[in-house]
Amino acid sequence: MTEERAVAPEISVVGGGVIGLSSAIVLAEAGHRVRVLARDGAGGTTSAVAGGLCWPYRIRPYEEAVRWSLRSLQVFTGLAGRPAETGARLVAGVQADAGGGAPEEGLEAWYAAVPGLRRARAEELPPGCGAGWRARTPLVEMPVYLRYLERRLAAAGGTVVARPVASLAEAAEGARAVVNCSGLGARELVPDAEVHPVQGQLVIVENPGVTEWFSAADAGSVDTTYLLPQPYGLVLGGTAREGAWSREPDPAVAEAIVARCARYVPEVARARVLAHRVGLRPARPAVRLAAERLPDGTVCVHNYGHGGAGVTVSWGCADEVLRLVRAELAG
């Protein structure tokens, strides 16, 4: 990293989670001088709490979300060849079907495009699950993956500055463009009152032998059920509570999560609890991925409001950020 890169970034990216880091990497690898301004280190972001299953969840608009997700699926599939380095693996699993045999409404293109996705046979379903879809999809170990993204950004010449940003104008100082990946922080930073938290709680237990993921996470449900086998333990979820701001685990909610998961895998009821986690998904009626000009004329590309699918759409959105930045700077 040269001194010029450190003091004169061409582009400032606000936010050090998976959306911000992915956007910064795509920009830096395209030849831009990039600086990430992050209030929290990647390990302290909502991304670090994510379960890591690559599947569109609680995100609109559907058509764009599927396109972004399929691009990310392509990238994660490549990264899965180096799981120790990247944290990405391809893992088989079942998405429970509550829709009478049809793909989830709005996500038909995802079901049609995921390689090998098919109806699950009866013997492939866990007890208590009447029907489902079977696929081999990326499952990402987020702590490892976030460290990989930080290394990849550094290798491309990007820098990360650990400091909060009070305004987009502040982020724009000395830069030709700003990319706003502030997630839930966009509520105050933009400000955008449509951004709100969807609280998610999960429990991590010692894995009693589960090797495949299972999800019965309906997009409209407050209480969801999923089991994700990660190297550090079996992730049990979860919840989706609109407008809840607390990051403190609720013991009663945790007990209910374990009970729901035990209906499908009874062994988890006796598994030793390793950790409790709570994250706040940055939700919005629709993702804001668009360019505008700040009052001083600086290009600003917004990339926030990804709800429960930040990891899933991250690379597709990052490609769109690059396209928008190039178009605006060229204009």
Side-chain angles (χ1 to χ4, degrees):
M1 181 184 68
T2 66
E3 184 177 352
E4 179 187 9
R5 285 181 182 271
V7 300
E10 184 182 13
I11 301 171
S12 289
V13 177
V14 181
V18 68
I19 293 294
L21 290 174
S22 302
S23 298
I25 287 167
V26 169
L27 290 164
E29 291 182 347
H32 295 282
R33 298 189 308 276
V34 180
R35 170 186 64 182
V36 175
L37 302 174
R39 180 190 60 192
D40 304 304
T45 65
T46 297
S47 302
V49 186
L53 179 66
C54 188
W55 196 280
Y57 173 65
R58 296 187 78 95
I59 184 171
R60 301 280 181 93
Y62 285 133
E63 184 176 348
E64 287 86 349
V66 169
R67 177 164 50 83
W68 298 329
S69 298
L70 290 173
R71 170 56 181 152
S72 297
L73 175 65
Q74 181 183 42
V75 175
F76 282 122
T77 299
L79 296 178
R82 310 189 308 277
E85 175 191 352
T86 68
R89 298 170 293 135
L90 288 177
V91 179
V94 170
Q95 173 71 42
D97 173 29
E104 293 176 73
E105 185 177 356
L107 299 181
E108 292 86 356
W110 167 260
Y111 280 70
V114 173
L117 190 149
R118 59 172 173 80
R119 299 293 299 176
R121 296 187 292 270
E123 65 270 20
E124 295 171 329
L125 298 169
C129 180
W133 297 84
R134 184 170 178 81
R136 191 165 178 254
T137 62
L139 184 59
V140 184
E141 185 183 0
M142 292 307 297
V144 174
Y145 180 60
L146 290 169
R147 291 193 294 272
Y148 162 75
L149 292 181
E150 291 176 325
R151 292 194 304 272
R152 182 166 165 180
L153 176 61
T159 61
V160 178
V161 179
R163 68 174 174 88
V165 174
S167 67
L168 293 173
E170 178 187 329
E173 292 176 1
R176 293 184 64 200
V178 174
V179 179
N180 174 24
C181 304
S182 56
L184 196 57
R187 184 177 176 90
E188 285 74 37
L189 188 66
V190 174
D192 185 344
E194 290 192 296
V195 181
H196 61 278
V198 176
Q199 183 201 63
Q201 181 168 333
L202 51 82
V203 182
I204 301 169
V205 301
E206 283 189 343
N207 193 335
V210 176
T211 59
E212 298 191 349
W213 60 266
F214 173 77
S215 173
D218 183 277
S221 298
V222 173
D223 296 319
T224 60
T225 304
Y226 55 84
L227 299 93
L228 309 175
Q230 293 283 14
Y232 55 81
L234 183 63
V235 178
L236 309 179
T239 62
R241 307 203 165 173
E242 298 269 351
W245 285 90
S246 174
R247 297 177 186 267
E248 290 298 317
D250 183 323
V253 171
E255 185 177 341
I257 288 171
V258 173
R260 286 198 302 275
C261 292
R263 294 174 195 160
Y264 299 100
V265 182
E267 293 84 359
V268 304
R270 301 182 296 276
R272 183 167 70 93
V273 174
L274 301 177
H276 298 273
R277 293 181 181 170
V278 176
L280 303 181
R281 305 177 182 95
R284 196 173 183 272
V287 173
R288 188 178 184 191
L289 184 42
E292 67 171 358
R293 296 278 173 160
L294 298 178
D296 68 354
T298 303
V299 172
C300 179
V301 174
H302 296 286
N303 183 19
Y304 65 87
H306 303 86
V311 176
T312 303
V313 301
S314 55
W315 290 107
C317 289
D319 284 350
E320 183 72 4
V321 164
L322 175 61
R323 186 189 69 78
L324 290 169
V325 166
R326 280 176 166 170
E328 291 296 319
L329 292 181

